[in-house]
Amino acid sequence: MSAGGLEYAASVGGLISLSVTLFRGCIKAFEIFDSTAHTENAVENFRCKLELEQYRLLQWSQRAGLEDTPTNRLNWQLITSTLKQLEALLTNSQNLKEKYCLEIRQIEVSGSVSQEQRLRFGKLLSRLRPDRDDASESARDHPSSPSPLTRLKWAVFDKDKAEKLIDEVSYYNTCLHSLLDSADQDALKSVLHFALRDVISRSDGAIELDAVQQVLGSTCVLHPAAIASAASLKQIRLRLEPAYTASNRNAPKPCLRRLKPALLKREQPDDACTRREVSHYKSQPVIVERRLVERNAVDRLKSRVHQLAILLNHVKDPSFHSLHCIGLLPEDKLFRAEDEQQVCYGLVFELTFAPTKVPKSRLPAIRALTDLYHGTRKPSLSERCKIALALAETVLQLHTSGWLHKGIRAENVICFDVGGSSWEVGEAYGPYLAGYEYSRPTDALTESIPAVPELDLYRHPKALGIGRSIFRRSFDLFALGCVILEIGLWSSLQIILERNPAVHEDLQNDSLGSFDEITLNDRAAEWSQINKSKLQLLQNQDEDRRTNLADIAFYAGNTFQEVILMCLYANDDDPDDLDLEVQKQVVEKLQRCQF
């Protein structure tokens, strides 16, 4: 190497070393802000935002390889300059006092912020990146200046000045991010996107949700509207809880328009008991889904039905591929249950894409996946991938906002033929995920789903039988995996099993006859055996027994196969079933599935 090259390498090495020292000083500086004497929401929001900026800085340092193997491809001179300005912003006592009303408390900091001192928002971010505390430990071991850092105390908390401080910190963070290559910048936005989703999913209070909402205007977040929608739905859910209502009596409570049965015109016979039908409400085409509740459980579940309708009423972001609910029909009005021991509610969804005041012959036609599998048009792989992505995005939004679906299956994935726009010509409206009859908040008491043999095919092994587990997110993902398998092979799960030689072999070994001889009217034991064979087929690690998953790789590619396996095995090692990592990967893989 020439003398000039050695000099350049030494110069870069010196800049990197200085950058490491400055970075550690910034991390330590983040933790000297003390707002314990201020309990108002504005101060807590400030702390949440500050912790989020610290998280962004830590994520940047990992991409830059700052604490590991720094890359020479970066402009370390600009990085050093930016880190100097960020450290000065956070540690210049005179500037902090004059511009932001922050005073110095002459108490030496003996360590980083403990888990007890950190807000729940910060704890949630810490859980995502365990090395956050490692970086703080490293910062204590490598002080950026000889003098000890001290606590910064608000003399008088000024919300506007606090916001200005956060804006400046965010600006320097964004400058550092912009010095990475475009791929790393996109990766950091994705990391932050799912970090905020995880915070929303695990939060049980309004403070962290408010903080998430307030940072979403920044360009540092990927798909901010989708996250804002999930946070809004979670806030609505929390506001409907009795504990929130009791402690916030003056706070506005989400409400829902109560529909008038007299304004609903059914297009089906009055004695028809369909699960889902197209009708008219005030001359506007709507779809009505029935929700049956056992009479002895009405007092307990009536509020849940109401909460569900409010949730679906606030579904607005395109990433939530579900219809917009406009209201709830009171029990036993127009829609009566066949069983006298049940009460029937009607969830009414608007069809904004349908023309008003049309004759019955031109009403939108509901097309479920189960119908489309038998149609004449076979969608391209690209179209099938879009359908799978729409479902995965919807389940991610639902789980982020703290709800379970509990009814993911082909008949609940629907689209609409409207006029000349039909499935056959590739112009249907949809897909939409429907069938929310048994949906509930993740932490609410579960409601048993009636055992129906052909529907049990979509249910997780642990959700079947007498000793079944309480429904959780991984059960929704298992059902999603089954539907994506159907989409990939463009056939119903029942037919997929029928064609699989492994199922025939199991049935013959158990003396139950051939699959063709077994119908819905056969004994429950036979259906149980079919379901057992399905589970073995989807979970057995023996390659010879996984012919369907081998088929999916052939017909739809490796991405479909990987996504299905991820859904089938989701969160097996997570006892709390709160991790959204699997769903993140499923959505990302399907988003990259371009043909």
Side-chain angles (χ1 to χ4, degrees), residues 32-61:
I32 68 173
F33 285 83
D34 184 3
S35 56
T36 55
H38 300 266
T39 58
E40 57 264 35
N41 288 350
V43 180
E44 294 189 11
N45 277 333
F46 167 81
R47 283 291 305 276
C48 288
K49 293 177 182 178
L50 195 67
E51 287 172 339
L52 181 63
E53 292 302 327
Q54 184 187 31
Y55 178 80
R56 288 184 66 201
L57 183 60
L58 286 166
Q59 291 294 327
W60 168 84
S61 72

Side-chain angles (χ1 to χ4, degrees), residues 97-243:
K97 183 175 182 179
E98 292 177 355
K99 289 185 66 176
Y100 307 110
C101 297
L102 280 163
E103 294 183 345
I104 303 297
R105 292 180 62 190
Q106 298 300 324
I107 301 175
E108 186 173 334
V109 179
S110 59
S112 67
V113 176
S114 67
Q115 285 291 335
E116 288 71 26
Q117 293 171 305
R118 183 174 292 152
L119 290 177
R120 178 171 169 78
F121 187 89
K123 293 177 184 178
L124 294 176
L125 290 176
S126 278
R127 191 203 61 78
L128 291 172
R129 301 301 308 176
D131 50 337
R132 171 190 171 118
D133 288 323
D134 295 341
S136 298
E137 185 72 31
S138 176
R140 293 199 303 273
D141 295 338
H142 300 81
S144 60
S145 61
S147 59
L149 290 170
T150 52
R151 287 288 185 206
L152 291 171
K153 192 78 173 177
W154 293 105
V156 177
F157 183 79
D158 187 309
K159 182 179 178 181
D160 292 335
K161 290 181 178 180
E163 289 292 335
K164 184 178 179 181
L165 177 59
I166 289 293
D167 288 342
E168 291 194 44
V169 173
S170 179
Y171 168 77
Y172 289 122
N173 260 336
T174 300
C175 288
L176 290 170
H177 284 223
S178 69
L179 295 174
L180 299 171
D181 60 40
S182 58
D184 281 334
Q185 290 182 47
D186 289 342
L188 284 177
K189 288 182 179 181
S190 178
V191 166
L192 184 56
H193 171 98
F194 285 101
L196 292 177
R197 278 195 178 278
D198 200 89
V199 169
I200 295 168
S201 171
R202 295 172 183 270
S203 64
D204 54 11
I207 295 300
E208 51 263 37
L209 292 174
D210 288 340
V212 169
Q213 292 276 33
Q214 292 182 36
V215 302
L216 291 177
S218 171
T219 56
C220 66
V221 184
L222 192 66
H223 305 309
I227 303 178
S229 176
S232 176
L233 292 175
K234 184 65 176 283
Q235 285 177 316
I236 290 169
R237 207 212 90 186
L238 293 176
R239 287 171 186 161
L240 292 171
E241 295 293 330

Side-chain angles (χ1 to χ4, degrees), residues 319-322 389-398 433 436:
S319 61
F320 206 128
H321 302 266
S322 289
L389 175 60
L391 298 180
E393 286 179 337
T394 303
V395 173
L396 175 60
Q397 283 289 78
L398 194 65
L433 182 59
Y436 286 87

Side-chain angles (χ1 to χ4, degrees), residues 417-430:
D417 291 346
V418 182
S421 301
S422 66
W423 170 262
E424 278 68 25
V425 297
E427 296 179 356
Y429 292 87

Side-chain angles (χ1 to χ4, degrees), residues 46-103:
F46 167 81
R47 283 291 305 276
C48 288
K49 293 177 182 178
L50 195 67
E51 287 172 339
L52 181 63
E53 292 302 327
Q54 184 187 31
Y55 178 80
R56 288 184 66 201
L57 183 60
L58 286 166
Q59 291 294 327
W60 168 84
S61 72
Q62 290 186 346
R63 288 285 166 177
L66 204 62
E67 298 273 20
D68 186 15
T69 54
T71 174
N72 291 331
R73 293 182 289 105
L74 300 180
N75 188 331
W76 287 102
Q77 187 171 0
L78 274 177
I79 288 175
T80 301
S81 174
T82 304
L83 286 171
K84 278 183 179 179
Q85 294 177 75
L86 178 59
E87 186 186 38
L89 173 67
L90 296 171
T91 59
N92 187 315
S93 59
Q94 182 176 354
N95 185 58
L96 288 170
K97 183 175 182 179
E98 292 177 355
K99 289 185 66 176
Y100 307 110
C101 297
L102 280 163
E103 294 183 345

